[in-house]
Amino acid sequence: MISTLKKNNWLAVKIIALVSIAIPSGVMAYEFIILGNESVVFLEDYPVAVGVIIIIYYTILLVIGILWILSQLSSLLTLRNETKKNEIMHLQSQVNPHFFFNMLNNIYGLVDKDTEKTKKLILKLSELMRYSIYEGERTTVTLEEEVNYIQNFLDLHKIRYHKPIDIQFKTDIQVNSDIMPLLLIILVENAFKHGVENLRENAYVHIKLKADSKKMIFEIENNFDVKEFPEKEGIGLKNLKQRLYLVYPKKHTLTTTSTNSIYKAKLELQF
């Protein structure tokens, strides 16, 4: 922490350190060498005024030292909070780019084939991008805002695919609590990317969200093609776990299961 001191303060620090060492050293030298005493009781037989001045000096020095340590601890905590904030913002910025790039490629392929469908896709995509860019920079959003974002995402996919998909999104929000933005969308994206995308028929995504004043429970279930399902955990899920660790330490539970071509994920947050 000493390295954080400004260079122009070093002279004052050196002088204080020198004086602080010189006072007891001088007293001891005087007692042993000049007076020839075999033992020293600090400040014994010295004028009261001298003792008081020395005690005041060291008291002030102790107070300054304590205040300096506290200021350094405060600076360290501030730095850690800023680092944490920057890491969260960096993780949030990674959430949707690959999805938007894929959607733009899909829209490009539809421009000459289905103009009306292309217009609807562009409108929905613009709403998602607006939320991701502007609301995604906020510390928190309301659950209803996050739900609307997910609903727009689902509506876009309903328009996008040519095959029938059973998409259900049920919500029971008793209290419109605040939540970190773009937190739930990763689980929804994975359901389409690793499930719906690779199935030719009977694809489904079922989502439930329930929240009250104390907690929120988000559940999502989808089917998938066993041959296409990734063996390793993806970047998106790792991103989600890291954000939960940073923002909701010891206040969240995330579980995932994959059985018989059915994938389930459950996220519980405590408010």
Side-chain angles (χ1 to χ4, degrees):
M1 291 188 292
I2 293 178
S3 62
T4 61
L5 290 172
K6 296 181 180 179
K7 292 182 179 180
N8 58 359
N9 289 335
W10 270 110
L11 180 60
V13 172
K14 290 178 179 179
I15 292 174
I16 293 173
L18 183 62
V19 172
S20 301
I21 295 172
I23 290 174
S25 298
V27 171
M28 292 177 67
Y30 177 76
E31 292 283 344
F32 283 120
I33 299 173
I34 304 301
L35 299 181
N37 294 334
E38 294 182 358
S39 62
V40 176
V41 178
F42 194 64
L43 299 181
E44 185 181 30
D45 297 329
Y46 280 76
V48 175
V50 174
V52 170
I53 291 173
I54 293 176
I55 291 172
I56 291 175
Y57 170 78
Y58 280 105
T59 301
I60 293 173
L61 192 64
L62 178 62
V63 171
I64 291 174
I66 292 173
L67 292 176
W68 179 80
I69 291 173
L70 290 175
S71 69
Q72 296 305 304
L73 289 175
S74 176
S75 298
L76 182 61
L77 288 174
T78 300
L79 179 62
R80 289 184 62 182
N81 289 335
E82 287 298 320
T83 302
K84 177 180 176 181
K85 180 180 179 181
N86 291 336
E87 185 175 355
I88 292 170
M89 293 300 295
H90 174 66
L91 289 169
Q92 286 184 187
S93 69
Q94 296 177 341
V95 173
N96 284 320
H98 66 280
F99 163 71
F100 288 129
F101 288 139
N102 289 338
M103 283 305 305
L104 287 172
N105 286 332
N106 290 334
I107 291 173
Y108 178 79
L110 285 172
V111 170
D112 296 326
K113 298 178 181 179
D114 193 332
T115 304
E116 290 302 316
K117 188 175 184 178
T118 301
K119 290 180 180 179
K120 291 179 181 179
L121 285 172
I122 291 174
L123 182 61
K124 285 294 179 183
L125 187 61
S126 66
E127 292 176 359
L128 292 174
M129 293 182 73
R130 179 197 61 77
Y131 184 90
S132 179
I133 293 171
Y134 295 107
E135 308 305 324
E137 292 182 352
R138 291 164 54 185
T139 305
T140 60
V141 295
T142 64
L143 269 174
E144 288 185 354
E145 288 175 309
E146 192 76 355
V147 165
N148 289 336
Y149 177 68
I150 294 173
Q151 188 61 61
N152 281 329
F153 181 92
L154 297 176
D155 291 343
L156 186 147
H157 278 75
K158 289 177 182 178
I159 300 171
R160 173 189 172 192
Y161 289 107
H162 298 284
K163 56 189 177 184
I165 307 170
D166 179 15
I167 299 177
Q168 298 179 19
F169 186 22
K170 299 179 181 180
T171 62
D172 180 12
I173 301 176
Q174 299 176 17
V175 177
N176 192 23
S177 301
D178 290 337
I179 188 176
M180 179 171 57
L182 305 175
L183 187 67
L184 308 177
I185 194 63
I186 291 176
L187 295 175
V188 181
E189 279 191 346
N190 281 347
F192 283 89
K193 181 180 179 181
H194 302 301
V196 174
E197 195 75 30
N198 300 316
L199 290 171
R200 294 185 177 181
E201 56 184 13
N202 301 321
Y204 76 86
V205 177
H206 294 170
I207 307 171
K208 295 179 181 179
L209 187 150
K210 186 175 181 179
D212 54 30
S213 60
K214 296 182 178 180
K215 65 181 179 180
M216 179 213 73
I217 299 176
F218 183 80
E219 297 177 276
I220 183 165
E221 177 183 323
N222 65 275
N223 55 346
F224 62 89
D225 186 342
V226 178
K227 297 179 181 178
E228 300 291 338
F229 196 75
E231 295 181 1
K232 296 183 179 180
E233 186 177 274
I235 295 175
L237 200 55
K238 291 180 180 178
N239 180 305
L240 174 60
K241 289 181 177 179
Q242 183 65 12
R243 292 169 69 202
L244 288 168
Y245 171 77
L246 291 170
V247 182
Y248 299 99
K250 299 181 180 180
K251 291 186 177 181
H252 74 276
T253 302
L254 176 63
T255 57
T256 60
T257 58
S258 176
T259 308
N260 298 326
S261 73
I262 304 297
Y263 185 85
K264 296 181 180 180
K266 181 178 180 180
L267 172 61
E268 184 173 334
L269 293 181
Q270 298 176 8
F271 298 130

